[in-house]
Each structure stands twice: as C-alpha cells, then as structure tokens.
Amino acid sequence: MGIKKDSEFRIRAAIVYCLKETAEKQGNTFLEVEEVNKQLCEILDLDISDYSSLLEKTYDSLQFDLLCKIFFEEGKRCIALTKYYNIEKSIAASFVKLKYGVDSINIDSFLIDEFERINKITFHKNQREAIKSAIENGVTVITGGPGTGKTTIIKCISYIFDALKFKVEYCTPTGRAAKRLNQSTGQEAKTIHRLLGMEFSGGSLRFAYNKYNKLNADAVIVDELSMADVVIVNSLLNAVKDGCRLVLVGDKDQLPSVGAGNILSDIIKSQLIEVKYLTYIYRQSEDSLIVTNAHLINQGKMPVVDNESKDFFVSYKDNQEDILNSVTALVKTRLPKFADIKSTDIQVLCPLKGGISGVNNLNMQLQRLLNPSERFKAEVKFGNTVFRVGDKVMQIQNDYELEWEKVNDDGTIEIGSGAFNGDIGFIIQIEKEANLVLVKFEDNRIAKYNLEGLENIRLAYAVTIHKSQGSEFDVAVIAVTNGPPTILNRNLLYTAVTRAKKTVVLLCSKKVLGMMVKNNYVKQRTTLLKKFLVEENEKYVSLYSNSIV
C-alpha cells in the first residue's frame, strides 16, 4: 500500500486499534503504555524497542490531536482513548450531581405497610431499607442475587412514586430485559435506547433526549445495570434532569457488560453512592433448587445434585461427544416432553464457541435436527453458515440503521430502526431476488436484513453464556467442557444458572464442576470511573460544602 513498515502513520493507527479492541472486546477503558507496546510488537511485526523515539513522538501526537489521553495510574504510565476518558469523567460528574441534587423526602413507612397488606407479603429489613433509600436519595444501587426480591422491590418503589405523583420511567439495557421487567412489574419498560429516542442519521447515532432536551421524569429506574456499558449510561445520565432520582438495580456477581466499562462494580467500590445489598432469599420453595444452587455456587459451594428435584438436574459427562449427544437428545425430545415446551424455546448455553460441544458445532447439529433442509424451504448461505426459514438467530452487535416494523396490539404499525446485541428472533422469510431476510424478534419487531447484513446475526439454538446476559429462559441446558480457568470460573457458572426460570440441566464432568465452583478468578477490567467518582465528589463538596446537608 506504499506505507513503510515503521511509518508513524502505521504505528499511530495500531495504537488506536489496540485501545478500541480492548474497550470493545475486553471492556477496558484504558491500558498501561507498557501493555500497548507489547501488543504493537505483535500487530506491527516490529521490535518496538528499536523505535523508542518514534514511539514517543507518536504518543505525543495522539495526545496533541486529542485522540488519546496519557496519564499516570498507581505510578504506571497509562493511555486511554479520549472518548472513553471523557465519558467516564462525565458519568462520575453526573452521579455526584444527582446524589446531592434532590429535594429531601422522608418516606412514611405507612406506604410500605400498605403495599405489603395489598400484596400479602412481608418485606425483610434489608428490603425495606432499599425501598426507603430509593425514595429518599438522589442515586441508589440495589443489588442482590436471584430470589432476593429485586422485582418486588421495584414494584413497591413504583407504588410509592405513584403515590407521590412522580413521573417514573423504567428502562433496561436490552429488549429481553425490558420485556421481562414489563411482565413482572406491569409497568411500561423500554430499552435505554428507546427511552432516549434513538435516531440514526448522517452516519451517526443521536438521541432525541440529551443534555439539551431532558427527559420529563422525576425518577428513572434502571434494571440489569451490570449489562450496561459506559457509552449508554453516559447518554442516559445526560438526559436525566436535575433533581431526578435514579434507582439502579442489578446483580453484582453476574458477568460485566459486553461493552466498555464496569459501571456497577465501580460504583460499589467507590463507596460514594448509597448501595443496598439484598441477602435474604425471598423467592425459594422447598421443591426448587435453581435459586438454592445459584447461591451455593456464588458462595463457592457445590450445588445440591438431586435429580429427583423438579427444576435442577446435573448429568456428569466426561467427554465432548457425550455432551453433544446429550444436548441433542434433551433438546429434540426429552425436555419438550418433560417441560411441555417447544424445542426452539430451550436455550443451550456454552462457555466456548469452539470444540465438538461448543456453540458453533452445537448450532449446526441442532439446526440439522430442529430445522432441516426441505425442498420448498428457502435458505441462503453466508460464509460457512446456512440460514433458512424457521432458524433461531441472534443479533451479535448493535446495528442502529437496521429497519424494522411492528404491529402493535391496537393494530397500529410502528416503524423504526435498530437491533441490539443479544436480540433473539426467528427467520420468517427469505427473498433471494429482493436480497432480503426477514427476522421476527421476540418483541414482534420484524427486521429487514439485506444479505450483506447477515454478518451481524448468528444461529442461536446455542449461544455463549456471555451473550445470554440479561436474558431469562424457561429452560436452559448448560453444556460445559474443559477450558482455560480464566473462562471456566464461578462467575460464569453463576451467570449461566441464573438465566433459567423453570428448569436447569447442567452437563459437565464432576471435576470441571468442582473446579468452576472453587475458581473465583475474575479478570479485572481497567477502568477509571471509581477514581473519577472520588475526584468529582471531592470537587463538588469543596465547591458546595455550605449547601450540602
């Protein structure tokens, strides 16, 4: 291409590439310069130590052009894309402003008592404290595992806000989570993108509600916060008006967001925002093991294996072929009969894509069994994958331009654009001549893909556990084979088990299960939000100390 191997232009592009890749794939908002230099050696096929002066010149130019920010963190020289540096700083400033910016409310416990009486329940002390905090404070985090009553608490908070004549908005990072919140609370819940009025024009994403046009909401409740990356959280905070209450709900022990940042963890570690921990297991019956075992796993204890139970089953398998055969038999015949469910409604979850019992091969085998090729069934090949009418598919990255239409319950037709990472649907039509593939998602949006757009969807009979975040399935089959301990850990197993509402079937060797339960390794993301929260709080207190009660 006429560019020298040691060109500054090439080195500059490689540095930006490293920072983008680590943000989008590992969730890091910055890296140590030393780590970037190691990656540059591999990407550029250069011994970077021979070009130290050129490298320093390149770093300086990136900072001078405002593309990157260079700083010291714990005595080590670090670099971040200016975009992510500024976003985390903006998030911190917004949280601190909301923390101190609300009018005080002393909630009368009569309203909680009334909710208990109407719903015939009794809240645990921790749950009452979480409800009071959400009403009284500017920002509250409510975190707890399955069965600790997060949804019931949201319903009570909603009940009290209504009594106070507050206008409340409910949102989640994904469409599946929004649908679940809507079903469990009876309130209209939207994706954060939809709440903000997402628009895509001129090649860029915009929101109708932003720092110049604020949401008309006295309170915003965000569920499944652990899934939200820094970009969407910053957009939401920009649109929240002064004095609005923010209630952030999530499970701190689930996997962090697919995108950049570690919002929930960083907020908790900063110790600046009111955090309420739900530890009392509220939803647990004597004949249910899903909730019990999820908490045991989270505590580093082996799950109870009782295949006489109604909802949690373990089948020990020592090799990939046995796991593959068990998955196909379970999904094709055994579980549909047991759970009175369609095969395509059973979700297979795997830690890894590769291998005989990994996501890729399982999708091929399950497609062959559940949706085989037929003479008059339309299909199209993209890369190594054959897509056909009836296939279960997943959107694997955000596409803000993808057009869709939806027929609402009242018969009106809604038109819009955008499909999001993790959306699951079924191919309902393939029009080769028109170069179109139609996918109907679970919220009844029908999206139109051209054949080139198929790069953004994958077969979804089986998906990775990471991709299942924020989703809930009636029946989950979890297929776990050998893999690196950096991936096969307690955190991953806990997330997988908590995806199921009614039935879990776990297929793995006893050795692998024991290793995952004991392995508490979690790769720490490098982010700046915790640091910025502390700095912004100190700044705010020093400026407005006289007005802070």
Side-chain angles (χ1 to χ4, degrees), residues 252-358:
K252 66 180 179 61
D253 296 310
Q254 284 191 24
L255 296 169
S257 63
V258 174
N262 203 358
I263 297 281
L264 183 56
S265 176
D266 285 347
I267 291 173
I268 292 171
K269 288 176 182 175
S270 75
Q271 299 183 338
L272 292 173
I273 303 298
E274 194 73 24
V275 179
K276 295 299 177 183
Y277 299 91
L278 306 178
T279 54
Y280 179 76
I281 302 176
Y282 193 80
R283 189 189 81 231
Q284 185 177 17
S285 62
E286 291 179 2
D287 59 352
S288 172
L289 280 180
I290 292 179
V291 172
T292 301
N293 281 339
H295 285 276
L296 286 172
I297 290 166
N298 201 30
Q299 294 162 16
K301 299 174 183 176
M302 286 290 282
V304 175
V305 178
D306 177 8
N307 287 346
E308 297 300 315
S309 76
K310 293 183 178 179
D311 64 355
F312 194 99
F313 307 93
V314 178
S315 180
Y316 290 127
K317 303 292 178 185
D318 290 322
N319 63 68
Q320 294 202 41
E321 288 85 356
D322 286 346
I323 290 177
L324 171 64
N325 294 333
S326 293
V327 169
T328 53
L330 283 163
V331 175
K332 176 70 174 173
T333 54
R334 291 170 59 190
L335 282 172
K337 289 179 181 177
F338 172 81
D340 190 23
I341 191 173
K342 293 189 297 184
S343 290
T344 48
D345 289 337
I346 298 166
Q347 189 58 61
V348 179
L349 304 176
C350 310
L352 304 167
K353 292 179 182 177
I356 294 170
S357 58

Side-chain angles (χ1 to χ4, degrees), residues 105 107-115 123 128 131-132 134-136 153-166 168 170:
I105 294 177
I107 178 178
D108 190 337
S109 60
F110 163 76
L111 288 170
I112 302 178
D113 297 339
E114 187 175 68
F115 181 87
F123 284 119
R128 291 182 76 94
I131 293 163
K132 290 190 71 172
I135 305 299
E136 294 174 356
I153 285 171
I154 291 174
K155 289 171 76 171
C156 184
I157 293 167
S158 171
Y159 177 81
I160 295 170
F161 278 145
D162 284 347
L164 296 172
K165 307 298 183 189
F166 276 30
V168 187
Y170 304 81

Side-chain angles (χ1 to χ4, degrees), residues 139-155:
V139 185
T140 297
V141 170
I142 300 172
T143 182
T148 54
K150 296 190 295 293
T151 300
T152 309
I153 285 171
I154 291 174
K155 289 171 76 171

